[in-house]
Amino acid sequence: MTSREKKNKVIQQVIKPALKEAGFHSLRGTQAFSIHKEACTIAVNIQSSQFNSKATGFSFWLNIVVDTPDLSDEQLQDVTFFKSFTEACFLPHQGRLHPLRDIRGYVIDGYKNYKPMDTPYEEIQAIIANDMQQYIIPGLSQIDSIADYQECVALWQEESKSQFVRLIDYFSEAHMLTLPFQKDTWIGTVNMKELVEKKKTLCLTTDEIMQNKSIYCKVRELSTHPQEDTWPLICMTLSAE
């Protein structure tokens, strides 16, 4: 089964049935679903990346909009998804440290350690089905009004400021920035300066970073280059500040 086929199959066999079971109905001729509640309408659009390929993997995500309760199906087909959020908001740590996710959304296959991946479909199906059942559908179900949605947004924003999430974001950036370098070429590079700025932007201290190598190890394990140990360059950056 190709990566494209896996992506399409998990959408047809997992995502769409879960939405329908939760009361969403499909909008004719689209990949969108909606549900009308007393105080709001929720629209969910299943979107695939236009840059999907065998090399990058096949990614998709759910664009979600909460709007007024009186929208017709015709109006929903024209609803803008620019002011939307994605299913990541409902997942633990907003989708960070997820085995099938990166900033693009769910990613089917792609490369790891410079080699193409071929993840068994059954594994993909089980992980995404669990996400839908445990997190995404319950998260959508708790939004019964625009006020509920606004409360959720406030909680998501607060979670994004937690130390744990900020450390994940730092180590994710650090691992990617340090990949091209060796110890003798790292000091003074543009990437090193970016990493210093990232630490400042995330309001992290040297002690917080050094005391949480376990989070770095998890980030590295789930990255596209888990064989590369870039912790020494992170330590060099912290020492050189």
Side-chain angles (χ1 to χ4, degrees):
M1 190 183 304
T2 67
S3 302
R4 184 197 298 271
E5 288 170 341
K6 293 176 195 174
K7 185 210 75 169
N8 292 337
K9 190 173 182 179
V10 80
I11 289 173
Q12 293 297 328
Q13 292 189 343
V14 176
I15 303 293
K16 290 183 177 181
L19 288 171
K20 290 179 180 178
E21 187 176 348
F24 285 79
H25 72 276
S26 59
L27 301 178
R28 184 176 301 175
T30 72
Q31 285 279 77
F33 291 75
S34 69
I35 187 170
H36 294 275
K37 299 190 176 184
E38 184 175 343
C40 72
T41 298
I42 303 176
V44 179
N45 183 43
I46 305 170
Q47 187 164 340
S48 298
S49 171
Q50 61 180 320
F51 302 110
N52 282 340
S53 70
K54 185 176 179 181
T56 62
F58 283 76
S59 63
F60 71 92
W61 61 95
L62 308 183
N63 274 333
I64 305 167
V65 168
V66 179
D67 213 316
T68 55
D70 53 352
L71 292 179
S72 67
D73 282 2
E74 290 72 22
Q75 290 173 313
L76 281 170
Q77 290 184 4
D78 296 327
V79 72
T80 175
F81 281 89
F82 290 115
K83 294 183 179 179
S84 64
F85 62 101
T86 76
E87 78 287 350
C89 292
F90 297 126
L91 299 176
H93 317 306
Q94 299 178 356
R96 299 167 175 85
L97 302 183
H98 191 287
L100 294 181
R101 293 186 65 87
D102 65 16
I103 59 173
R104 295 173 290 170
Y106 285 108
V107 182
I108 309 303
D109 294 336
Y111 275 68
K112 190 178 283 285
N113 292 334
Y114 307 101
K115 296 178 181 179
M117 296 177 63
D118 185 12
T119 309
Y121 174 72
E122 292 74 19
E123 180 180 336
I124 295 168
Q125 182 184 41
I127 291 172
I128 296 179
N130 182 71
D131 286 350
M132 293 297 293
Q133 295 164 6
Q134 297 297 319
Y135 305 111
I136 299 170
I137 295 302
L140 291 169
S141 299
Q142 72 181 358
I143 299 176
D144 291 320
S145 66
I146 293 176
D148 288 343
Y149 165 62
Q150 291 170 340
E151 289 181 11
C152 287
V153 170
L155 290 173
W156 297 332
Q157 291 174 339
E158 191 64 28
E159 182 185 18
S160 69
K161 298 175 185 177
S162 70
Q163 183 198 57
F164 188 76
V165 168
R166 285 183 290 119
L167 283 165
I168 294 173
D169 289 347
Y170 173 83
F171 287 129
S172 297
E173 184 85 0
H175 190 60
M176 292 305 298
L177 285 173
T178 52
L179 278 175
F181 295 94
Q182 302 297 323
K183 286 185 178 181
D184 57 350
T185 60
W186 172 243
I187 294 294
T189 63
V190 172
N191 285 33
M192 177 183 170
K193 293 174 183 177
E194 286 186 21
L195 186 53
V196 171
E197 287 303 312
K198 186 71 174 181
K199 174 190 169 189
K200 293 178 182 177
T201 301
L202 292 171
C203 301
L204 291 168
T205 67
T206 297
D207 285 345
E208 284 177 309
I209 295 169
M210 295 295 291
Q211 292 169 7
N212 284 282
K213 186 178 179 180
S214 60
I215 299 177
Y216 161 79
C217 291
K218 186 63 176 178
V219 168
R220 173 188 168 189
E221 174 191 341
L222 294 171
S223 75
T224 55
H225 298 83
Q227 87 286 7
E228 301 286 353
D229 183 8
T230 59
W231 179 255
L233 296 183
I234 295 173
C235 294
M236 285 180 68
T237 302
L238 297 172
S239 299
E241 288 183 57

